[in-house]
Amino acid sequence: SAVISQKPSRDICQRGTSLTIQCQVDSQVTMMFWYRQQPGQSLTLIATANQGSEATYESGFVIDKFPISRPNLTFSTLTVSNMSPEDSSIYLCSVALRVGNEQFFGPGTRLTVL
Amino acid sequence: DAKTTQPPSMDCAEGRAANLPCNHSTISGNEYVYWYRQIHSQGPQYIIHGLKNNETNEMASLIITEDRKSSTLILPHATLRDTAVYYCIAQWEGNFNKFYFGSGTKLNVKP
């Protein structure tokens, strides 16, 4: 398994600002992902964070709005840019140790945009 | 990835077995069935997964029908701490671990 931490755990932000969420894993992992969970909804995959290259985004998500970095095999960041109240969600990081393995999820970052 | 269908909610008495069904009638031969649960907005927790054969671990058992069009997650002795949303996901190993979550089943374990 893997132990995943996220910072911050929660934040309240003003519209028009940006927030960067960090995801740290206690071991090197092959795959890292970012999900969004809007209030009362299921999880939606935002993108796959690729080490050393640009992230792969799912339909409906773009790099300008959700830039992602992954400088090494244990760390990734997701930035929510130019926030609006519709961005209020829980943002979750997940990892897979190897392709084909199960994913492990972080505790999430609860974002409220006013 | 195959679409999965689950009942929106189920009740279970504490100490009894909880049987959570999942329909994945369009599943392909190389798609695994994964089960996760999410307790009150925490990060989802991995439970179990399988391809064809039934699987059991310390948390649960997974029963997959012979035609693979449906499966059942069994929690043998449900406790109040098992109250959560349970997600069934069909995932193709070739799509690099990407998970597409459905709406899940809210399991309410009652005393």
Side-chain angles (χ1 to χ4, degrees):
Chain A
S1 66
V3 177
I4 304 161
S5 59
Q6 288 186 231
K7 290 181 181 179
S9 58
R10 59 177 61 228
D11 207 341
I12 301 173
C13 301
Q14 297 297 319
R15 70 172 66 208
T17 63
S18 298
L19 177 72
T20 295
I21 302 167
Q22 298 179 7
C23 176
Q24 180 73 54
V25 192
D26 68 341
S27 59
Q28 293 186 344
V29 296
T30 302
M31 316 292 290
M32 295 184 77
F33 306 90
W34 288 97
Y35 290 82
R36 178 177 74 181
Q37 187 170 29
Q38 295 176 300
Q41 303 297 311
S42 182
L43 285 79
T44 301
L45 179 63
I46 297 173
T48 303
N50 300 310
Q51 195 258 328
S53 64
E54 194 171 282
T56 304
Y57 290 85
E58 296 297 309
S59 176
F61 297 96
V62 295
I63 187 172
D64 290 346
K65 177 67 176 177
F66 298 102
I68 290 170
S69 78
R70 188 177 172 193
N72 56 51
L73 294 176
T74 63
F75 185 79
S76 177
T77 67
L78 168 75
T79 299
V80 186
S81 303
N82 188 24
M83 289 183 286
S84 67
E86 291 71 34
D87 294 319
S88 297
S89 297
I90 298 173
Y91 292 87
L92 298 120
C93 166
S94 75
V95 305
L97 300 182
R98 290 174 293 278
V99 174
N101 284 172
E102 64 269 25
Q103 289 186 30
F104 300 97
F105 285 80
T109 295
R110 184 180 294 272
L111 171 62
T112 301
V113 183
L114 303 178
Chain B
D1 292 337
K3 178 180 171 58
T4 60
T5 305
Q6 299 176 254
S9 66
M10 293 182 63
D11 291 337
C12 177
E14 188 177 20
R16 304 297 293 269
N19 296 279
L20 293 95
C22 179
N23 182 285
H24 31 80
S25 58
T26 62
I27 197 169
S28 63
N30 56 3
E31 285 185 293
Y32 286 77
V33 178
Y34 282 81
W35 283 84
Y36 280 76
R37 71 180 182 184
Q38 188 175 29
I39 299 173
H40 192 52
S41 295
Q42 297 177 19
Q45 177 189 21
Y46 166 78
I47 302 173
I48 199 167
H49 75 284
L51 183 63
K52 296 180 182 178
N53 299 322
N54 299 336
E55 302 287 345
T56 296
N57 62 20
E58 65 278 4
M59 288 184 67
S61 294
L62 172 60
I63 308 298
I64 303 174
T65 58
E66 192 168 343
D67 63 7
R68 301 188 70 242
K69 292 186 177 182
S70 66
S71 60
T72 301
L73 179 74
I74 301 172
L75 307 178
H77 305 287
T79 70
L80 298 178
R81 290 179 295 178
D82 292 322
T83 293
V85 178
Y86 287 76
Y87 296 101
C88 168
I89 304 163
Q91 194 263 340
W92 174 48
E93 186 178 280
N95 78 350
F96 302 102
N97 288 69
K98 290 194 278 189
F99 280 176
Y100 300 100
F101 283 76
S103 54
T105 296
K106 175 64 189 302
L107 176 67
N108 299 298
V109 180
K110 301 186 175 182

